[in-house]
Amino acid sequence: GLARVMQYHGVGMKELINDANVRFRQVEPHYQNRIDANGNAIPFDYRTDITHPMKQLEEVDRFSITVGGKPVNVVVSRGVNDLGVEVYLVRDVRDDGTSFYTHSLYNYSNAVPWANSSELATWEEFSVFYCKATLELIKRIEERERAELSGWKPPVVHLNDSQSALVSIYRKIELDNEKEIAALDPTYKVDPVIEDMVIAFSTHTYANRRSYALKGDSIAYSDQIMDFMEIPEKYRGLFRN
């Protein structure tokens, strides 16, 4: 989930889990800045500037994904907040060390995502980045634990707010692709992390969802959005309301 709201979710989840034999982790965007009342970008420090500050924050992983068909480098940091919750922060890193998709908290460009020349990501660009990075991180964490631990069980993944919703779609696309390969090759084993994970989705702000009209010229625009998000035609019906 995203920022402070996900931190509050973490408080509730930790209380629900209590002393059960469950490992609870949060994944959040690692925003580099917040925007002040005058519109200035102020550096954002997760060790001091959030409701539940983090300690022992350190880089633990790097990998690459694609956004809009372009490669993006992802850096993952891990820490523990003052409630004892394990938190993973994901951000993008450009060649000069700056971030584009996680540049600033809840601050989006109004450009179209396939022609954005600003220094801020659009809502769609951020969503694609965050969801792809989160799904890849979950897979990497779970694959390591599956190899190292006996009695591994698949994860339960709770997605909060509309910017995280694409995780469930990307997972379905990947799972269907794996099943197609397995149907052609009896020796191929479908990834149990992808196949068996359980996903739940919630949104705390109904008005925060994104919508695109499916009439007149808007049909072409909606199709361009789906193209940018790399959603094959057969899955686009999942987005219609």
Side-chain angles (χ1 to χ4, degrees), residues 46-113:
Y46 282 72
R47 293 167 295 188
T48 57
D49 298 340
I50 59 177
T51 304
H52 296 291
M54 295 175 59
K55 55 186 177 181
Q56 303 167 6
L57 189 60
E58 61 180 351
E59 182 181 321
V60 294
D61 203 355
R62 286 182 178 238
F63 52 84
S64 294
I65 58 171
T66 60
V67 178
K70 300 177 181 179
V72 175
N73 294 321
V74 180
V75 174
V76 181
S77 298
R78 177 194 175 277
V80 178
N81 68 20
D82 62 355
L83 298 174
V85 175
E86 186 179 8
V87 181
Y88 287 80
L89 300 176
V90 296
R91 68 184 177 101
D92 64 291
V93 178
R94 296 185 284 195
D95 291 341
D96 62 0
T98 62
S99 297
F100 175 69
Y101 303 100
T102 51
H103 176 273
S104 50
L105 175 67
Y106 297 153
N107 193 27
Y108 305 120
S109 166
N110 291 322
V112 294

Side-chain angles (χ1 to χ4, degrees), residues 98-167:
T98 62
S99 297
F100 175 69
Y101 303 100
T102 51
H103 176 273
S104 50
L105 175 67
Y106 297 153
N107 193 27
Y108 305 120
S109 166
N110 291 322
V112 294
W114 51 88
N116 181 14
S117 60
S118 77
E119 279 300 301
L120 291 176
T122 64
W123 186 98
E124 292 84 3
E125 287 175 308
F126 169 79
S127 297
V128 172
F129 164 78
Y130 181 54
C131 291
K132 284 193 170 187
T134 296
L135 182 59
E136 180 63 23
L137 174 59
I138 292 170
K139 287 164 51 184
R140 292 167 76 89
I141 291 173
E142 296 296 332
E143 290 291 359
R144 284 195 292 266
E145 291 201 345
R146 190 170 72 90
E148 296 170 359
L149 303 176
S150 61
W152 173 86
K153 293 183 179 180
V156 175
V157 180
H158 171 222
L159 309 173
N160 177 65
D161 216 355
S162 54
Q163 291 95 324
S164 69
L166 287 173
V167 171

